[in-house]
Amino acid sequence: MLNNWVVMPTCLPLVLRRCHACASERFRADGKFRVNANHKLIDAWLLALCTVCGETTKLTVLERKNVRSVRPELLDRMHANDPALAAELLQDPVLRRRNRIAVDWEGAWRLDTGGPDRLDALDALGVIDVSVRFAARIPVRPVRLIAEGCGLSRAGVERLIEEGKVVSAIRLNGKVSGDFTFMLKR
């Protein structure tokens, strides 16, 4: 029996960057953009507010681009302050590297297991196969997902891994942000 779990974002992640005003290191992006055109060149930024003092920082999305080279639907989404576009951009490693930021997904995601019948299939069949799919590139430890999805402690899951009762093709102790499967044996 194959169970499908989905790791879903619940809100935008926090942006990790030092605030110039108060030295805090966390900013909250809410999907607001600023677009500025100068003749045929355009600049665009994703705005984020400091969680402590409210100071605004600008994350560069477009810099001195020719207006004709920018897709019209991208411009429309920025003008509409599309939060889905902000989520896509915060997951983009090129944008994060260019702006020298990192993102913190703590508290910004949830695990959807499809129902409350966590270990009922394990009691009935002795083995459950689980496919974990990520709706966004959220780095999470598989041990944490398995513990939360099965209603176990992390130490209990690590003990099951050592005993060979949790098996996967990936390493379960590090962080992953891509789809994987695992098998849990009784």
Side-chain angles (χ1 to χ4, degrees):
M1 178 176 175
L2 181 66
N3 292 330
N4 294 309
W5 293 358
V6 180
V7 178
M8 303 173 61
T10 56
C11 61
L12 292 174
L14 291 176
V15 175
L16 301 177
R17 175 187 226 180
R18 183 169 287 275
C19 178
H20 297 291
C22 71
S24 170
E25 295 190 3
R26 298 187 182 283
F27 286 83
R28 182 169 313 283
D30 59 357
K32 302 272 191 244
F33 290 89
R34 178 159 187 255
V35 180
N36 185 26
N38 185 5
H39 300 286
K40 294 181 182 180
L41 301 178
I42 191 166
D43 295 311
W45 301 275
L46 174 62
L47 303 178
L49 299 174
C50 177
T51 57
V52 175
C53 70
E55 183 73 19
T56 302
T57 188
K58 299 187 296 187
L59 306 176
T60 303
V61 177
L62 300 173
E63 189 171 32
R64 311 301 290 165
K65 288 277 191 182
N66 190 313
V67 174
R68 291 180 187 250
S69 68
V70 179
R71 294 187 327 265
E73 60 271 4
L74 177 64
L75 280 176
D76 291 342
R77 289 176 74 187
M78 282 191 274
H79 284 296
N81 291 322
D82 185 4
L85 176 61
E88 291 172 27
L89 292 172
L90 287 174
Q91 293 178 43
D92 183 12
V94 174
L95 180 119
R96 290 196 316 244
R97 191 170 34 256
R98 179 184 334 148
N99 288 286
R100 295 186 199 107
I101 62 167
V103 291
D104 180 11
W105 282 97
E106 190 64 35
W109 60 272
R110 69 179 175 87
L111 178 65
D112 182 15
T113 59
D117 59 335
R118 297 179 181 192
L119 296 177
D120 295 343
L122 183 62
D123 292 336
L125 302 172
V127 172
I128 58 170
D129 289 319
V130 178
S131 171
V132 180
R133 187 177 63 80
F134 286 78
R137 296 176 63 205
I138 303 170
V140 183
R141 294 187 188 283
V143 170
R144 180 176 179 185
L145 292 176
I146 296 168
E148 187 174 322
C150 295
L152 303 169
S153 67
R154 285 191 222 171
V157 172
E158 289 174 357
R159 189 173 47 254
L160 290 173
I161 291 170
E162 289 173 10
E163 294 172 359
K165 294 185 178 181
V166 176
V167 181
S168 179
I170 66 159
R171 191 179 65 136
L172 296 173
N173 294 334
K175 286 190 176 184
V176 297
S177 58
D179 301 351
F180 70 95
T181 59
F182 70 91
M183 181 175 18
L184 178 62
K185 305 174 195 173
R186 184 164 30 143

